[in-house]
Amino acid sequence: MNIGQAAEASGVSAKMIRYYESIELVPRADRRESGYREYGVTDLHRLGFIRHARDLGFSLERIKVLLGLWSDPGRSNADVKAIARAHIRELEGRARQLNEMADALRSLADACDGDGRPDCPIIASLETGANVPACHAGDAPAAPEPPVPRRKLRARH
Amino acid sequence: MNIGQAAEASGVSAKMIRYYESIELVPRADRRESGYREYGVTDLHRLGFIRHARDLGFSLERIKVLLGLWSDPGRSNADVKAIARAHIRELEGRARQLNEMADALRSLADACDGDGRPDCPIIASLETGANVPACHAGDAPAAPEPPVPRRKLRARH
DNA sequence: CCTGCACCTTCCCATCATGGCAGAGTCAAC
DNA sequence: GTTGACTCTGCCATGATGGGAAGGTGCAGG
């Protein structure tokens, strides 16, 4: 089947199928004389796998590893599980960050009357940074700070 | 002060300050004879505002609007609140999506023994798509489907 | 057989916010 | 004057995806 049919059947756009081929996430598809790509059930199966992994938020980089494990009959499910757990942590971290932002903004919005006057705690907090979760603060508990930055950051003006 | 100091003081990298200027998110900075950008407290204030807005996940596009409202003495806090609420919805939506992925993957990982054998429910679900949340499924309750797609999608091969 | 159209090919550009690098110029401390 | 930190501009890269142009292919209907 052609790339269009493969796209529809797998749920991966033709554009992306070509892209996946170009970055060698999938092997180069068979070609007809005309140069048209030709797909079979095996290819569809692989594209479906990729799509499901994308639906779970895996990066293409990690999907490449998963595909390798998939096609490895001697794989260890511990390896798969480790990748999955690392990914879960990432997802949770990102979700937590988004929720923190949403929570902070919600409390600001709740404090805003929205009655048409210019007074606005949201704007005020953006000005001062009060109640705004510092992005990535807490990721690096203590700045490594290279021992003796001798003449760095000279005071000027 | 120079861009480096402004960057350190505002928490916005010099690179980004130049970028913000290039996309006209901030006005073109004053220049010294040498071409060096020169920043004052007003500029720092604005950069801080932008940084806090970024920390809340606002896009630069929306920050442009917020800056406009900020500098408008006759603004309506209702406008600000509306933008904030739209953004909260976006954040919540994205967080929900991430959490759905994490939940799905967690249940798959829980079902995986991780004992070193090849059997793996995670891999199996990626193959079949079972228990994998279809990305964006439910967003479009009913496909609009143009009335009569006469000769579209011909069956080939 | 010809025409038209849906489909395919490759290649380039855009997104969004950010970082990195290179080559050249500037500033201030010593 | 030398040195080294800093700044300038400009280009490239990221990740995953979409859009489009320019040109070739395949097939059905006339």
Side-chain angles (χ1 to χ4, degrees), chain B residues 121-133:
Chain B
I122 303 171
I123 290 282
S125 274
L126 290 175
E127 273 193 72
T128 64
N131 307 311
V132 172

Side-chain angles (χ1 to χ4, degrees), chain B residues 99-117:
Chain B
N99 279 323
E100 276 169 23
M101 294 181 198
D103 288 349
L105 197 49
R106 221 181 342 256
S107 70
L108 291 177
D110 284 349
C112 177
D113 289 340
D115 55 3
R117 286 176 306 141

Side-chain angles (χ1 to χ4, degrees), chain A residues 20-41:
Chain A
Y20 293 165
E21 185 179 315
S22 81
I23 62 170
E24 293 181 296
L25 182 65
V26 299
R28 180 177 164 82
D30 289 342
R31 305 299 180 114
R32 318 210 336 233
E33 279 188 8
S34 60
Y36 279 27
R37 288 170 180 82
E38 178 70 33
Y39 295 91
V41 283

